[in-house]
């Protein structure tokens, strides 16, 4: 068996550990499909918990479940013993344990070298545990103190321990996401809300959407395997790279970022298929006639939305969508004081939390600080663009094109830090293009204090931003 695994791993250019993970990850699809046929609420929760434990054991070994157990028990204990403060307690305890595991296992180095460990799954699990505790905390508050999203997701009653474990480990979603809410999990398990059999008298079929996600996953993996040998990360420290001209080095940074993203597209497409086929990915019906089912709850990436983003502000809406949503609801919005508008501080704090969640590597920290600058710079361009009167449409279109080019440049410049991780390699790659992706956003932010568009020229709705 071991020889067969080694031979298979070698044939696709990955380690045995990664192959084992991929096989278990693919197994989440039939495991999730079988959940549909488990009778009764208790049995469904038990199946979700035990199948998650088994897949984790087969993928990462026995110790992985012990690691998962720590934040899960800390979160549940805080909800039982300290409900009034369980959200903030679980936040710091969960992140503290995750950071400790990141430091102990040096997980970023393992991932960079093509390895795998349980800390990636622990990252997703940590977000689930924290959101559950915060929503249980919100259940004590008055409705007028809560936003619409907080009202929707709050938990009045403490979930049972088996419901809680089922939520954390269901469908192998802790492997790579997506993150979802405990309230949605309970409704899905109990066939309430949009999962009620009486909802529009229809039962959505998941098979077409699952097939689409699987075909997308296959395409993404094929393209990644084709591109990755041509654009290795080791090239950034190669003397040959330093001999290239500015534009060629900038082009290589773009292709390196472009190549790396297809690995994430593959992983998220596969996890999307798993959540869709279970039924949990269902998010309602379209208004068309006849109505069609939507599966947005499982969607973690919009590939064209990322690659053709007209503005950096759009990126959190199309990349790692469910984690971006989590960061918005549980960090960004909760840092805004009542009656005040969010600003650069909330953006920077949110990006810092995201960086720490990924690990304490300098490349992560630099990337997410860069992301905050990138988004702030793009907002400046957008405000200028909206201030231009309709009769100057040509100039407005030039600014639209400039925002697109700006996003393309700064995103792929910034993401090198996310890929190489070390401070030396990150600064070397940024310095090789004269820190252009840092200087331009800062220059735009400073210019915004000089060139201030008239408020009256702004549109009423800013959904496009």
């Amino acid at each position: 068996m071991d020889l067969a695994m080694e031979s298979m791993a070698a044939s696709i250019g990955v380690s045995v550990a990664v192959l084992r993970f991929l096989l278990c990850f693919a197994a989440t699809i039939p495991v999730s499909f079988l959940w549909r046929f488990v009778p009764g609420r208790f049995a469904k929760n038990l199946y979700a918990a035990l199948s998650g434990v088994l897949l984790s054991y087969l993928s990462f070994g026995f110790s992985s479940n012990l690691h998962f157990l720590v934040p899960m028990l800390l979160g549940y204990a805080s909800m039982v013993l300290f409900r009034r403060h369980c959200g903030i307690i679980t936040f710091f305890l969960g992140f503290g344990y995750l950071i400790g595991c990141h430091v102990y296992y040096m997980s970023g180095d393992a991932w960079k070298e093509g390895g795998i460990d349980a800390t990636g799954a622990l990252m997703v699990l940590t977000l689930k545990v924290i959101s559950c505790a915060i929503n249980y905390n919100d259940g004590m508050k008055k409705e007028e103190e809560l936003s619409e999203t907080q009202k929707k997701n709050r938990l009045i009653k403490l979930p049972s321990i088996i419901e809680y474990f089922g939520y954390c480990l269901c469908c192998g979603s802790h492997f790579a996401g997506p993150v979802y809410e405990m309230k949605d999990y309970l409704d899905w398990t109990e066939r309430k809300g949009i999962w009620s059999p009486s909802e529009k008298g229809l039962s959505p079929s998941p098979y077409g959407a699952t097939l689409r996600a699987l075909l997308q996953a296959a395409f993404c993996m094929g393209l990644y395997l084709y591109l990755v040998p041509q654009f290795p990360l080791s090239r950034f420290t190669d003397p040959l790279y330093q001999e290239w001209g500015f534009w060629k080095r900038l082009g290589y940074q773009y292709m390196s970022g472009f190549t790396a993203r297809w690995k994430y597209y593959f992983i998220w497409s596969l996890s999307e298929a798993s959540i869709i086929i279970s039924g949990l990915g269902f998010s309602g019906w379209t208004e068309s006639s006849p109505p069609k089912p939507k599966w947005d709850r499982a969607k973690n990436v919009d590939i064209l939305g990322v690659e053709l983003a007209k503005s950096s502000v759009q990126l959190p809406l199309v990349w790692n969508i469910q984690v971006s949503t989590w960061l918005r609801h549980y960090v960004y919005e909760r840092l805004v004081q009542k009656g005040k508008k969010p600003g650069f501080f909330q953006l920077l704090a949110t990006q810092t939390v995201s960086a720490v969640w990924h690990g304490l590597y300098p490349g992560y920290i630099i990337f997410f600080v860069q992301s905050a600058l990138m988004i702030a710079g793009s907002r400046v361009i957008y405000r200028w663009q909206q201030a231009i009167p309709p009769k100057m449409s040509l100039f407005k279109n030039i600014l639209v094109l400039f925002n697109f080019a700006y996003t393309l440049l700064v995103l792929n410049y910034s993401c090198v830090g996310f890929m190489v991780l070390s401070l030396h390699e990150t600064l070397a790659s940024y310095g090789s293009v004269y820190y252009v992706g840092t200087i331009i956003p800062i220059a735009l932010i400073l210019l915004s204090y000089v060139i201030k568009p008239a408020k009256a020229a702004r549109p009423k709705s800013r959904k496009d931003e």
Side-chain angles (χ1 to χ4, degrees):
M1 182 69 177
D2 289 341
L3 287 174
M5 289 279 285
E6 288 179 12
S7 175
M8 191 184 303
S11 67
I12 60 174
V14 298
S15 65
V16 173
V18 170
L19 177 61
R20 191 182 299 113
F21 165 76
L22 289 174
L23 291 174
C24 290
F25 192 40
T28 62
I29 297 174
V31 167
S32 299
F33 174 69
L34 291 175
W35 182 95
R36 304 172 71 92
F37 304 102
V38 177
R41 188 173 67 185
F42 178 83
K44 285 180 182 295
N45 285 310
L46 185 64
Y47 175 85
L50 292 179
S51 62
V53 168
L54 178 61
L55 288 171
S56 299
Y57 169 73
L58 294 174
S59 183
F60 306 117
F62 178 75
S63 64
S64 64
N65 286 308
L66 295 180
H67 282 305
F68 300 153
L69 200 57
V70 173
M72 288 163 65
L73 290 180
L74 287 173
Y76 200 78
S78 73
M79 289 192 290
V80 172
L81 300 173
F82 309 104
R83 181 174 185 181
R84 188 171 296 279
H85 305 291
C86 63
I88 194 71
I89 290 171
T90 305
F91 188 97
F92 283 106
L93 289 179
F95 264 97
Y97 187 75
L98 175 63
I99 290 167
C101 289
H102 273 314
V103 172
Y104 182 79
Y105 288 104
M106 297 299 287
S107 48
D109 287 339
W111 302 339
K112 182 181 171 183
E113 293 168 8
I116 195 77
D117 60 35
T119 49
L122 184 62
M123 289 166 62
V124 178
L125 188 67
T126 299
L127 299 188
K128 287 187 183 180
V129 167
I130 291 171
S131 65
C132 182
I134 291 177
N135 288 324
Y136 187 56
N137 197 167
D138 285 346
M140 296 183 67
K141 298 178 181 178
K142 297 177 181 177
E143 285 204 6
E144 55 266 27
E145 297 176 23
L146 303 174
S147 69
E148 290 304 313
T149 301
Q150 290 165 2
K151 290 177 192 175
K152 175 179 174 291
N153 294 327
R154 68 177 178 161
L155 299 169
I156 306 298
K157 178 184 171 186
L158 178 70
S160 71
I161 191 72
I162 191 63
E163 288 172 334
Y164 180 72
F165 274 54
Y167 161 71
C168 289
L169 301 172
C170 180
C171 300
S173 61
H174 61 299
F175 277 10
V179 178
Y180 48 84
E181 301 291 350
M182 169 62 93
K183 185 70 165 54
D184 291 335
Y185 172 80
L186 293 174
D187 285 350
W188 170 59
T189 305
E190 298 168 16
R191 295 179 67 80
K192 292 181 179 178
I194 61 171
W195 290 279
S196 171
S198 61
E199 181 76 13
K200 289 188 179 287
L202 300 169
S203 180
S205 170
Y207 304 116
T210 302
L211 180 60
R212 177 199 58 76
L214 287 173
L215 291 174
Q216 180 174 288
F219 174 80
C220 293
M221 176 50 75
L223 188 57
Y224 174 72
L225 292 176
Y226 171 75
L227 289 173
V228 74
Q230 302 178 50
F231 302 99
L233 296 180
S234 57
R235 186 63 53 80
F236 288 112
T237 53
D238 192 321
L240 178 64
Y241 174 80
Q242 300 301 327
E243 294 174 8
W244 291 346
F246 170 80
W247 291 108
K248 189 170 182 179
R249 290 196 292 252
L250 201 62
Y252 192 85
Q253 288 188 0
Y254 168 77
M255 286 308 302
S256 294
F258 178 78
T259 299
R261 286 194 290 277
W262 290 96
K263 174 175 65 176
Y264 295 99
Y265 296 156
F266 162 72
I267 291 291
W268 288 331
S269 297
L270 212 57
S271 64
E272 186 177 339
S274 173
I275 300 296
I276 287 173
I277 203 166
S278 72
L280 178 57
F282 179 61
S283 57
W285 299 91
T286 64
E287 297 297 326
S288 61
S289 183
K292 297 179 181 178
K294 297 185 291 185
W295 301 96
D296 297 338
R297 195 181 314 281
K299 190 167 183 155
N300 229 357
V301 68
D302 176 353
I303 297 175
L304 291 179
V306 174
E307 300 301 332
L308 301 176
K310 294 187 292 184
S311 163
S312 302
V313 184
Q314 294 177 349
L315 290 174
L317 305 177
V318 291
W319 170 268
N320 207 354
I321 295 169
Q322 305 306 328
V323 171
S324 296
T325 301
W326 188 97
L327 288 167
R328 184 171 72 251
H329 291 329
Y330 297 103
V331 182
Y332 186 79
E333 292 176 354
R334 291 173 187 266
L335 288 175
V336 180
Q337 294 181 6
K338 194 170 183 179
K340 294 189 176 181
K341 292 183 178 180
F344 184 70
F345 166 74
Q346 285 77 16
L347 177 60
L348 183 60
T350 304
Q351 294 299 86
T352 302
V353 169
S354 184
V356 171
W357 178 68
H358 283 85
L360 296 184
Y361 285 86
Y364 287 146
I365 305 296
I366 293 171
F367 169 75
F368 285 104
V369 171
Q370 270 286 139
S371 298
L373 291 173
M374 175 179 70
I375 292 171
S378 189
R379 282 176 174 166
V380 172
I381 302 170
Y382 180 83
R383 286 196 294 268
W384 291 344
Q385 172 190 322
Q386 296 304 309
I388 296 172
K391 61 183 179 181
M392 298 178 66
S393 60
L394 177 61
F395 191 50
K396 177 175 281 196
N397 290 335
I398 290 173
L399 276 180
V400 170
L401 184 61
F402 176 63
N403 208 349
F404 169 74
Y406 164 88
T407 299
L408 208 64
L409 166 69
V410 183
L411 171 64
N412 290 286
Y413 161 91
S414 303
C415 75
V416 174
F418 190 94
M419 297 184 294
V420 300
L421 300 182
S422 78
L423 180 63
H424 169 71
E425 289 179 275
T426 301
L427 295 181
S429 64
Y430 287 2
S432 70
V433 291
Y434 311 111
Y435 298 96
V436 63
T438 304
I439 292 171
I440 292 176
I442 292 175
L444 287 169
I445 294 168
L446 293 176
L447 274 173
S448 69
Y449 292 100
V450 179
I451 307 173
K452 296 183 180 180
K455 291 184 180 180
R458 294 179 183 177
K460 292 181 181 178
S461 173
R462 299 185 63 181
K463 290 182 180 179
D464 292 337
E465 190 190 2

